[in-house]
Amino acid sequence: MEREKASEENEEIGCLLPPFKKLDSRKIIRYILTLAVLNLAYNIVLLKRKEKCIVEANASTVSWNPSLPVTYGLVHMARSGGSALNHILALKYERVCGNKGYSYDAYQENERFRKSSSNYSRYNANDLISNVDLIPNVSTDRIHNRGQISKAIVSEVGFENCDYIALEWKLASRWQEQLTHLNRRIELHIPCRDPIDHIMSMCNYFDKNLDCSVSNEELQMQVKGCLHFMSRFSSNMASSQNFSMKCFSSP
């Protein structure tokens, strides 16, 4: 009687309670086992996806990963303003490295040069590097200082803490040899100067005169005599996927 009364009351408010049903224990067990199997399969799928992501991440790190930090390199071509650019950037910014100056000691190096009587950056600055180069009976034209650092010291120090690297490597291949292990993207900046201006600047620097009255073949030989350190650049110097090149207008 009480159950019938409750049912009538629920019908009056628009609610119909389902009738009581006896549960089958075998169905419950089968249901639980099904959920367990589905959960296991789901976890296996997630694990495989995770392993796939790890493999792809490792592969992209080896080849090319746009999320890697970028290190910029100035390919210092002769008579392209590279020395001045290296000095100025080292004085104004941190983490600049180059054979014409480093950020960490650029201020003191600049002060020593300012107080000296030299008009040329390759001089006896009486610093530790200059004192090492003071060999008896050897011309001081090849002397180094903290504004003219030897390539051997630059390579020994390394480039792990450098964001901008300016170097006069004789061979273009040295960029990949020295920087590939950094696991960064290397963007090399190539100074592009007007060809005629560039040739005339190099001829003037190396004290070469051009005789324009000669034949084209002879004039070509004279021009070639002005071209120095051209092996610092190569069209395939950025052949690795972690390397790229960009030109900029040089004075």
Side-chain angles (χ1 to χ4, degrees):
M1 292 292 293
E2 292 180 358
R3 291 188 62 182
E4 291 177 359
K5 184 178 179 181
S7 178
E8 291 176 358
E9 291 176 353
N10 287 327
E11 287 179 1
E12 290 178 1
I13 60 175
C15 178
L16 182 61
L17 293 175
F20 288 106
K21 184 184 292 185
K22 184 178 180 180
L23 297 177
D24 190 342
S25 59
R26 288 175 299 179
K27 290 184 178 181
I28 295 175
I29 295 173
R30 190 181 301 115
Y31 178 73
I32 293 174
L33 290 175
T34 302
L35 288 179
V37 171
L38 290 174
N39 185 58
L40 179 61
Y42 178 73
N43 288 329
I44 291 174
V45 171
L46 285 182
L47 182 60
K48 287 184 176 180
R49 286 183 178 177
K50 185 177 181 181
E51 289 174 350
K52 183 180 179 182
C53 290
I54 292 173
V55 171
E56 290 177 350
N58 289 335
S60 62
T61 300
V62 173
S63 56
W64 176 257
N65 189 343
S67 65
L68 289 175
V70 181
T71 294
Y72 301 96
L74 170 64
V75 180
H76 187 167
M77 302 300 294
R79 313 306 301 157
S80 64
S83 296
L85 185 58
N86 187 172
H87 281 300
I88 292 171
L89 292 177
L91 277 170
K92 291 182 173 293
Y93 301 98
E94 294 294 330
R95 301 171 69 87
V96 174
C97 310
N99 64 294
K100 296 300 177 66
Y102 281 74
S103 297
Y104 73 90
D105 65 348
Y107 177 82
Q108 293 296 338
E109 182 273 320
N110 193 60
E111 283 295 291
R112 281 189 291 271
F113 180 76
R114 185 178 64 83
K115 294 175 182 179
S116 73
S117 58
S118 177
N119 294 319
Y120 182 47
S121 60
R122 194 180 287 276
Y123 72 107
N124 179 13
N126 196 29
D127 56 23
L128 293 176
I129 297 178
S130 292
N131 292 335
V132 169
D133 278 356
L134 288 178
I135 304 173
N137 303 320
V138 176
S139 172
T140 56
D141 289 342
R142 307 308 304 166
I143 199 170
H144 294 91
N145 53 57
R146 291 190 177 273
Q148 284 274 1
I149 308 165
S150 70
K151 310 299 190 307
I153 293 178
V154 170
S155 296
E156 185 176 74
V157 171
F159 309 99
E160 287 72 19
N161 294 317
C162 306
D163 287 338
Y164 193 92
I165 303 169
L167 285 171
E168 297 174 310
W169 271 321
K170 290 182 180 180
L171 297 176
S173 59
R174 293 282 287 167
W175 286 96
Q176 292 197 40
E177 293 171 5
Q178 293 284 330
L179 304 183
T180 299
H181 75 283
L182 296 179
N183 193 31
R184 300 179 188 174
R185 287 181 292 158
I186 309 297
E187 183 178 293
L188 299 178
H189 294 170
I190 315 298
C192 297
R193 186 174 177 180
D194 179 81
I196 301 300
D197 286 346
H198 201 178
I199 291 172
M200 297 304 293
S201 178
M202 285 194 281
C203 290
N204 177 68
Y205 183 79
F206 294 106
D207 198 22
K208 301 284 186 180
N209 295 318
L210 298 179
D211 183 3
C212 297
S213 64
V214 299
S215 66
N216 289 339
E217 290 76 12
E218 291 175 311
L219 182 59
Q220 187 176 4
M221 293 299 296
Q222 292 182 32
V223 170
K224 285 184 177 179
C226 297
L227 303 179
H228 288 258
F229 311 117
M230 301 304 292
S231 59
R232 294 178 184 176
F233 170 78
S234 171
S235 58
N236 64 352
M237 64 189 302
S239 56
S240 169
Q241 288 185 329
N242 278 339
F243 285 74
S244 62
M245 289 190 293
K246 288 185 178 179
C247 263
F248 70 95
S249 181
S250 174

